[in-house]
Amino acid sequence: MRNKFIQTLRWKFIFVFLLSIVLTLAAVFLSYQVLQKLIYVKPFRDPIRWVVNHIGSTPVAVVIGGLLFLFFFFLFSQKIIGYLEEITLGVQEIAKGNLEYEIVAKSSDELGVVVENINQMTRKLRNSIEEERIAERTKNELITGVSHDLRTPLTSILGYLELIESDRYKDEVELRYYTNIAYEKTKNLKKLIDSLFEYTSIHGNGPDLKTNKININGFLKQLAEEFIPTLTKAGMSYRMVSDDELVYVQADGNQLVRAYENLISNAIRYGKEGKFVDIQIKKSNEEAIVEIINYGEAIPEMDLPYIFERFYRAEKSRSSETGGTGLGLAIAKGIIEVHGGQISAHSNKSRTVFETRIPLIPANA
């Protein structure tokens, strides 16, 4: 603390001031001693005596001392002044719009603090601008994705309704066939709109959470039971393993249902070849860890970093026949994160794991 106080700009100027005075006095004293010797040397005797007799030694000493003091003060403060000029030039460079420019911090005094604050402000401004660009790009991509995914079923619906409207069908059987296709496309369209609404509500200001104490074991057991008809239809079954029967979290049950419904649905959709969906629950570092595991085809390594982005599908097809809306994993990620948790995915040839981590609460809380 004492060293920091001594290293302040005020004390540096005081030190420069005192050092300049000491050196000035020393220089004047040495000059006086030299002149005392030179007064007996013929070439210097008459000029020195004339100055002493007509001007006086004291005024001469004061003038010389003043000039020496200014010289020493400017000399020793040059480093501080030069650094101040460097900061000024840096600020001007940043003001021109060069937000990549950073001023080098060369001291720990007030100037160093100013430099660090300027650099931090520049970094924040740069990040803010970058985030704004990303948000704008994301908005445009969202509009493009929504337009594509809405236009496809809508075009199909309009096509079949046009056939019906213009009586271009052979008999009632074909009419019902066209009607059924239009109906199914309409359901897919509603599903997409519902998912989009859910995604925007989560990634906007966030959902209004109504949290309760939830035992993850019982919660996921009940949810998995509700998937039995879907699992059976896919020729699959679920297996559930837990290290502890009492794993509690503070969460909004309705929101958590949506997250794990999306994860289990994804495991069923892409893991049919494996015949099983495994749900593993454990505790670690004050977190409840849930792993939803399927044994289908591996997610390509290049796709793993992007699978939680909205409208991203690893199979690269935007067809609802081969995948969902492309929003399920993004919705799951948003819900887990608003609960203070994290979600990640790991995949290899043998299995694909979606892992969620949510803060634990004590069983007796």
Side-chain angles (χ1 to χ4, degrees):
M1 182 71 181
R2 185 178 178 183
N3 289 336
K4 289 183 178 179
F5 180 72
I6 293 174
Q7 290 175 1
T8 59
L9 194 61
R10 181 185 295 110
W11 278 103
K12 284 184 178 181
F13 273 112
I14 291 173
F15 176 75
V16 168
F17 180 80
L18 293 176
L19 181 61
S20 299
I21 290 177
V22 170
L23 290 176
T24 298
L25 292 175
V28 170
F29 177 76
L30 289 174
S31 299
Y32 179 77
Q33 295 298 320
V34 170
L35 290 173
Q36 286 284 71
K37 302 292 183 182
L38 292 177
I39 199 171
Y40 298 105
V41 179
K42 189 174 182 179
F44 302 103
R45 181 176 56 196
D46 292 338
I48 293 173
R49 285 182 177 180
W50 186 89
V51 169
V52 172
N53 292 331
H54 290 81
I55 301 175
S57 57
T58 301
V60 171
V62 170
V63 171
I64 293 174
L67 293 173
L68 287 172
F69 172 80
L70 290 175
F71 170 76
F72 287 128
F73 187 82
F74 278 107
L75 179 66
F76 294 123
S77 64
Q78 182 59 39
K79 185 177 180 181
I80 299 174
I81 301 302
Y83 188 34
L84 189 57
E85 291 174 349
E86 187 178 330
I87 294 172
T88 302
L89 291 173
V91 171
Q92 291 174 349
E93 187 69 23
I94 293 168
K96 291 176 184 176
N98 183 9
L99 298 181
E100 297 297 326
Y101 188 89
E102 285 204 6
I103 306 169
V104 180
K106 296 180 179 179
S107 65
S108 57
D109 56 23
E110 290 89 343
L111 290 181
V113 174
V114 168
V115 167
E116 184 56 38
N117 287 336
I118 291 173
N119 287 337
Q120 187 175 1
M121 178 191 68
T122 305
R123 285 192 292 268
K124 286 183 177 179
L125 183 58
R126 186 170 64 238
N127 292 337
S128 177
I129 292 173
E130 183 61 27
E131 287 174 2
E132 186 176 344
R133 287 174 181 167
I134 292 172
E136 183 67 22
R137 186 168 63 248
T138 301
K139 182 185 73 174
N140 292 336
E141 290 174 355
L142 181 62
I143 292 171
T144 302
V146 169
S147 299
H148 182 282
D149 280 48
L150 290 179
R151 185 173 62 242
T152 303
L154 191 57
T155 301
S156 181
I157 292 168
L158 289 173
Y160 283 106
L161 290 179
E162 184 182 358
L163 291 175
I164 296 171
E165 177 67 19
S166 59
D167 296 328
R168 289 158 58 189
Y169 52 88
K170 297 177 182 178
D171 49 31
E172 187 176 347
V173 174
E174 192 169 58
L175 171 62
R176 293 184 65 85
Y177 173 71
Y178 290 162
T179 306
N180 183 65
I181 292 178
Y183 175 67
E184 292 297 327
K185 295 291 183 181
T186 304
K187 287 199 300 183
N188 289 339
L189 190 60
K190 182 181 183 301
K191 181 181 177 183
L192 174 61
I193 292 172
D194 289 343
S195 296
L196 181 62
F197 177 78
E198 191 173 2
Y199 173 81
T200 52
S201 67
I202 291 169
H203 290 78
N205 297 325
D208 184 16
L209 297 180
K210 298 177 182 178
T211 63
N212 295 292
K213 181 180 177 181
I214 296 175
N215 182 359
I216 284 290
N217 285 283
F219 174 84
L220 287 176
K221 177 70 174 176
Q222 181 179 344
L223 183 60
E225 289 292 325
E226 294 174 4
F227 271 94
I228 287 180
T230 307
L231 287 163
T232 302
K233 185 177 179 180
M236 303 175 72
S237 59
Y238 81 89
R239 300 180 296 195
M240 190 165 171
V241 179
S242 177
D243 294 343
D244 190 334
E245 289 300 317
L246 302 176
V247 182
Y248 289 97
V249 298
Q250 190 74 20
D252 184 321
N254 292 328
Q255 294 291 339
L256 222 54
V257 163
R258 292 191 183 98
Y260 288 111
E261 273 182 347
N262 288 339
L263 292 176
I264 295 173
S265 295
N266 185 79
I268 296 172
R269 183 179 298 116
Y270 296 107
K272 293 179 181 178
E273 297 86 349
K275 303 302 180 184
F276 292 101
V277 172
D278 284 341
I279 302 172
Q280 297 185 358
I281 304 168
K282 48 193 173 184
K283 296 179 180 178
S284 177
N285 298 325
E286 305 302 320
E287 292 178 319
I289 301 175
V290 176
E291 293 180 343
I292 309 295
I293 307 169
N294 73 73
Y295 303 92
E297 185 177 347
I299 300 173
E301 187 175 350
M302 63 179 294
D303 291 316
L304 275 175
Y306 309 105
I307 59 174
F308 292 106
E309 294 183 5
R310 79 286 171 284
F311 292 124
Y312 190 87
R313 298 195 186 110
E315 83 277 7
K316 301 296 183 294
S317 164
R318 299 198 70 86
S319 170
S320 60
E321 301 300 324
T322 59
T325 62
L327 291 170
L329 294 181
I331 291 170
K333 180 177 185 288
I335 292 172
I336 296 299
E337 288 181 347
V338 297
H339 283 87
Q342 295 177 323
I343 187 169
S344 60
H346 316 280
S347 186
N348 54 42
K349 292 181 179 180
S350 61
R351 65 179 194 163
T352 295
V353 182
F354 284 88
E355 179 185 275
T356 66
R357 292 173 175 262
I358 300 177
L360 281 170
I361 61 170
N364 56 1

